[in-house]
Amino acid sequence: MSRRVQQKANTRAKIKQVAKQAFFEQGLEVTTTREISRLAGVAVGTFFVHFQDKLDLVKEIYFDALDETLSASVGLHPPTTSPTEYLSQIVTTLFPFYEQYDEFTRVILVDSVLNGGFHSQQMASIKQGIAKRFEAVGVDAKTALIFSENMTANYWLVFMECLPAKSFTSSAVLQRLETLNLPFKVSFENAARA
């Protein structure tokens, strides 16, 4: 790697490092690109060489942290064929992350809903994982999709209930989701026995 490329990577990393600390200490809204630039010891123009805007920086910090969380969770949960257990494993991995990165989650959720993106993609992936588990026990694809859409809607409902309270990790959260998804658990178990 050339010296120039290394210097550029170091500058980008420094901006992210000081921004993350400032975001957690002061909040996303209060922390300006000018303040981040000052803390990183770079010109404001240099900030914009590395990031399109503050939201671009927020997303990068968030997704880097999410990748670390997901990587750390690999192997923590045993593989499961149950769609409800699969969804519970996702909740026990992601909800603590959402709580830790509460303000980031809110900003990125709004951006995703308005412009498409991460949460839309994440929900599509979860929905697909749920549908595959139903199909694996003989539930037809159309019914599996309906079940997965309903279970994903329940996930969103619980997520949205947690958002105002900034509390994603109480035991009641997982219990609420399991209660909402009980009919799908029974449907899966009946199909598996058939």
Side-chain angles (χ1 to χ4, degrees):
M1 182 183 302
S2 75
R3 184 173 175 212
R4 181 172 164 81
V5 171
Q6 182 62 50
Q7 184 178 6
K8 190 172 182 179
N10 290 345
T11 300
R12 185 178 183 88
K14 178 70 173 177
I15 292 169
K16 285 171 55 176
Q17 175 192 1
V18 300
K20 183 176 181 178
Q21 184 175 350
F23 289 152
F24 275 106
E25 289 175 2
Q26 302 170 25
L28 295 178
E29 192 172 321
V30 174
T31 306
T32 64
T33 55
R34 182 174 305 282
E35 175 70 4
I36 294 166
S37 300
R38 184 188 67 73
L39 292 169
V42 301
V44 175
T46 302
F47 174 94
F48 290 106
V49 166
H50 293 278
F51 300 97
Q52 181 179 351
D53 54 24
K54 187 167 71 171
L55 179 59
D56 186 36
L57 173 60
V58 167
K59 286 179 179 180
E60 189 162 321
I61 292 168
Y62 184 82
F63 294 129
D64 286 352
L66 181 59
D67 285 345
E68 288 175 21
T69 297
L70 293 173
S71 293
S73 74
V74 171
L76 291 179
H77 303 292
T80 181
T81 58
S82 166
T84 53
E85 190 173 317
Y86 166 73
L87 195 56
S88 292
Q89 289 176 350
I90 290 170
V91 167
T92 58
T93 299
L94 292 180
F95 277 33
F97 174 81
Y98 294 149
E99 188 166 311
Q100 181 183 3
Y101 284 83
D102 175 69
E103 192 176 6
F104 288 76
T105 298
R106 291 167 187 271
V107 167
I108 291 169
L109 174 64
V110 168
D111 178 65
S112 181
V113 169
L114 295 176
N115 302 312
F118 167 67
H119 284 287
S120 304
Q121 294 166 0
Q122 186 181 59
M123 289 303 103
S125 176
I126 291 171
K127 189 169 27 173
Q128 182 182 28
I130 293 169
K132 278 190 207 177
R133 284 164 172 78
F134 278 111
E135 289 175 27
V137 294
V139 174
D140 67 274
K142 185 176 180 180
T143 303
L145 179 61
I146 292 168
F147 286 172
S148 69
E149 286 174 347
N150 279 282
M151 288 180 68
T152 304
N154 290 339
Y155 174 96
W156 267 106
L157 174 64
V158 172
F159 175 90
M160 296 306 281
E161 288 172 348
C162 293
L163 206 52
K166 300 179 185 180
S167 176
F168 288 90
T169 56
S170 77
S171 59
V173 170
L174 191 55
Q175 181 61 46
R176 171 96 166 112
L177 184 64
E178 289 173 355
T179 300
L180 290 168
N181 286 327
L182 185 59
F184 304 108
K185 180 179 182 179
V186 171
S187 296
F188 174 80
E189 290 170 353
N190 288 340
R193 280 195 293 270

